[in-house]
Amino acid sequence: MDTTHLNEFSIHTIGYLHSPFKDKFAVPRQPGLIEGDLGEIELLPPWNRIEALQGLDGFSHIWVMFIFHQAIKPVEQWRPTVRPPREGAKRQGVFATRSPYRPNPIGMSVMKYHGWEKRGKKLFIKVSGIDIIDQTPVIDIKPYLPYADTIEGATGGFAQSAPQSCDHIQVTISPNSQQALNKAKQQYPQFEALLRSTLTHNPRPVHFGNIEKRSHFSVQLYQYQIEWLLEDDNIQVIQIKPI
Amino acid sequence: MDTTHLNEFSIHTIGYLHSPFKDKFAVPRQPGLIEGDLGEIELLPPWNRIEALQGLDGFSHIWVMFIFHQAIKPVEQWRPTVRPPREGAKRQGVFATRSPYRPNPIGMSVMKYHGWEKRGKKLFIKVSGIDIIDQTPVIDIKPYLPYADTIEGATGGFAQSAPQSCDHIQVTISPNSQQALNKAKQQYPQFEALLRSTLTHNPRPVHFGNIEKRSHFSVQLYQYQIEWLLEDDNIQVIQIKPI
């Protein structure tokens, strides 16, 4: 087979991720950091067949391959270096990072697998450990194979350790917000855990720089807009309202 | 952004893998099984820029994302189940396997990273632990992040452990073949290790079934055709000839 002309391929969306993270500022910088981040992958026809999931129940984790749909650029605009999403990080080669800005906008993320559910004609795969945004197009699902994917003693360059949670940050929720939160928890029982975990993982756009410069932030989780104030090591949630 | 119409994406080949495995029967069933399997990813223009690799040298492993170019089928022909490449394995859902036959022909493989090399205008990334065939189109390279990708206690369903090497198999090499091998080793010093490791990892097409039924096999490594006989627990290499 002459492969020299196989330079372009067509890839189909097989499903969409339903994630609590509605905007990129809330998305954790790696999977598995945030508590309460349950989501679902809705498989589209013709791929919404239960048989396609046969055998998956023995696995604890899956790889989800997806399109960085908000980062698609023409090939001509590609840049060989990117700035990793850690504050203060210097530019790195795109192939040394997991940045969304890359020659092909393909991402991979390992998620916890929580089984599947059929609702009407729709087929959903339940996941947690999500680090991608709501409505992300999914292009493949593969099992996580511990014997192949878990590499003892692998070294991680400039990214040796996970981004840290700011444990010293205190989150308080205003009475009005707590009321709104309690209501939302009827639909999303894990909402409060998700909110607190998200805020202590510092969901500020990196380019805002020094946190003192800005004290009022907002972020979307599920269909709620959340507003909060940061002062020293305290976060106060001042509003939770449906969008 | 309305994502409901983002159902098809165009993906570009950014490079090709140069692997010792010229046919699929020689390819190990997972990365990291075979000794001496050195290869290179040749980056194509405009992606053959050294800057794109900046920072990669701190990593021990990389993810290589590629196209299963020999398994591309029209969407209409997709099947929800596949037969995993283990002898005797029963059919499983495609999303519970890493089979090449899947809705999108995208593969991922973790490889050891051995640095890069510029030769003339060409840029090569050196790798080992290869489980894909020569000339495979590569579509992305990402660092292996131990803190995110190494999952303690993950469970692996029907694929708990790696395919085993058949340690009891004795490989002998005929005098003529040893001569040819010595010559080939001038170009590929690791050739003998690769050959012995490949043969003891049982590179027979699964559908041949019971090994007693067939005793004469051949396989391609680099640009050599290798013929060998199997009798009981002995493999005898009878010919190594350039193609």
Side-chain angles (χ1 to χ4, degrees):
Chain A
M1 189 180 195
D2 177 11
T3 58
T4 52
H5 302 295
L6 289 176
N7 285 330
E8 201 168 345
F9 299 90
S10 182
I11 298 297
H12 303 266
T13 298
I14 62 161
Y16 286 98
L17 180 76
H18 302 305
S19 144
F21 306 116
K22 302 290 171 177
D23 62 53
K24 67 179 177 179
F25 304 127
V27 175
R29 291 169 196 170
Q30 286 299 333
L33 295 178
I34 299 281
E35 200 187 336
D37 58 340
L38 304 176
E40 294 180 320
I41 298 162
E42 179 180 349
L43 291 172
L44 299 176
W47 297 289
N48 57 344
R49 299 265 300 270
I50 290 173
E51 304 96 296
L53 305 179
Q54 188 182 308
L56 199 55
D57 278 349
F59 292 88
S60 60
H61 292 75
I62 54 175
W63 287 106
V64 178
M65 303 179 74
F66 58 92
I67 298 290
F68 286 114
H69 61 294
Q70 296 191 340
I72 298 173
K73 281 183 177 180
V75 170
E76 303 74 41
Q77 286 179 28
W78 99 280
R79 297 183 66 173
T81 62
V82 293
R83 195 180 294 279
R86 287 169 185 245
E87 291 178 61
K90 62 177 185 174
R91 295 191 77 86
Q92 300 285 357
V94 65
F95 297 131
T97 82
R98 303 267 192 112
S99 164
Y101 299 97
R102 47 201 321 110
N104 287 305
I106 297 180
M108 54 184 259
S109 176
V110 66
M111 298 184 188
K112 267 193 201 163
Y113 171 69
H114 297 272
W116 53 266
E117 206 172 290
K118 187 128 189 168
R119 299 201 290 273
K121 288 194 175 173
K122 293 188 171 183
L123 182 58
F124 300 88
I125 297 172
K126 296 188 283 183
V127 291
S128 71
I130 296 171
D131 65 345
I132 55 180
I133 203 170
D134 190 49
Q135 287 295 93
T136 294
V138 172
I139 58 173
D140 203 2
I141 291 155
K142 297 179 196 285
Y144 182 90
L145 300 179
Y147 73 83
D149 299 339
T150 294
I151 299 179
E152 305 272 340
T155 56
F158 57 88
Q160 290 290 356
S161 60
Q164 294 302 301
S165 158
C166 303
D167 287 334
H168 55 282
I169 286 184
Q170 295 290 320
V171 176
T172 57
I173 297 172
S174 75
N176 276 350
S177 302
Q178 188 66 53
Q179 216 167 9
L181 188 56
N182 291 342
K183 206 169 162 187
K185 281 163 78 175
Q186 292 169 13
Q187 188 178 357
Y188 306 105
Q190 72 282 11
F191 199 152
E192 186 162 350
L194 174 70
L195 174 62
R196 289 180 178 274
S197 183
T198 301
L199 293 181
T200 52
H201 278 84
N202 197 14
R204 287 183 298 279
V206 172
H207 61 264
F208 283 1
N210 203 321
I211 56 174
E212 279 77 21
K213 287 183 190 157
R214 195 181 151 113
S215 63
H216 186 200
F217 299 89
S218 81
V219 79
Q220 276 187 46
L221 295 173
Y222 299 111
Q223 67 274 39
Y224 293 88
Q225 180 83 23
I226 290 134
E227 297 192 14
W228 47 284
L229 299 171
L230 174 72
E231 198 177 354
D232 298 328
D233 287 341
N234 297 297
I235 281 175
Q236 197 192 2
V237 177
I238 53 172
Q239 188 158 51
I240 298 178
K241 71 175 174 199
I243 296 161
Chain B
M1 186 178 196
D2 177 11
T3 58
T4 52
H5 302 295
L6 289 177
N7 285 330
E8 201 167 347
F9 300 89
S10 184
I11 298 297
H12 303 266
T13 299
I14 62 162
Y16 287 99
L17 179 75
H18 301 306
S19 145
F21 306 116
K22 302 290 168 176
D23 63 53
K24 67 178 178 181
F25 304 128
V27 174
R29 292 169 196 170
Q30 287 298 333
L33 296 177
I34 300 282
E35 199 187 337
D37 59 339
L38 305 176
E40 293 181 321
I41 297 162
E42 178 181 350
L43 291 172
L44 299 175
W47 298 289
N48 57 345
R49 300 265 300 271
I50 290 173
E51 304 97 294
L53 304 179
Q54 188 182 307
L56 200 54
D57 278 350
F59 292 89
S60 60
H61 293 75
I62 55 174
W63 287 106
V64 178
M65 302 179 76
F66 58 93
I67 299 289
F68 287 113
H69 60 294
Q70 297 191 339
I72 298 173
K73 281 184 178 180
V75 170
E76 303 74 41
Q77 286 179 31
W78 99 280
R79 296 181 65 173
T81 62
V82 293
R83 195 181 295 278
R86 289 172 184 243
E87 294 180 58
K90 61 176 187 175
R91 295 192 77 86
Q92 299 285 356
V94 64
F95 298 131
T97 82
R98 303 269 192 110
S99 163
Y101 299 97
R102 47 199 324 110
N104 287 304
I106 297 179
M108 55 184 260
S109 176
V110 66
M111 297 183 189
K112 268 193 199 160
Y113 171 70
H114 298 273
W116 53 268
E117 205 172 292
K118 186 129 188 168
R119 298 201 291 274
K121 289 194 173 170
K122 293 188 170 181
L123 182 58
F124 300 88
I125 297 173
K126 296 187 284 183
V127 291
S128 71
I130 297 170
D131 65 344
I132 55 181
I133 203 170
D134 190 48
Q135 287 294 94
T136 293
V138 172
I139 59 172
D140 203 2
I141 291 156
K142 298 179 196 283
Y144 182 91
L145 299 179
Y147 73 82
D149 299 339
T150 294
I151 299 179
E152 305 271 341
T155 56
F158 56 87
Q160 290 291 356
S161 59
Q164 293 303 301
S165 158
C166 303
D167 287 333
H168 55 283
I169 287 183
Q170 295 290 320
V171 176
T172 57
I173 297 172
S174 74
N176 276 349
S177 302
Q178 187 66 52
Q179 217 168 9
L181 188 55
N182 291 342
K183 207 169 159 187
K185 280 163 78 175
Q186 291 168 16
Q187 187 178 357
Y188 306 106
Q190 73 281 11
F191 199 152
E192 186 163 347
L194 173 70
L195 175 62
R196 289 180 179 273
S197 184
T198 301
L199 294 181
T200 53
H201 277 86
N202 198 14
R204 287 183 298 280
V206 172
H207 62 263
F208 284 0
N210 203 321
I211 54 174
E212 279 78 23
K213 287 184 192 157
R214 196 182 151 112
S215 63
H216 186 200
F217 299 90
S218 81
V219 80
Q220 276 187 47
L221 295 173
Y222 298 111
Q223 67 275 36
Y224 294 88
Q225 180 83 23
I226 290 134
E227 297 191 15
W228 47 283
L229 299 172
L230 175 71
E231 197 177 355
D232 298 329
D233 287 341
N234 296 297
I235 281 175
Q236 197 191 2
V237 178
I238 53 172
Q239 188 158 53
I240 297 178
K241 70 175 174 198
I243 295 160

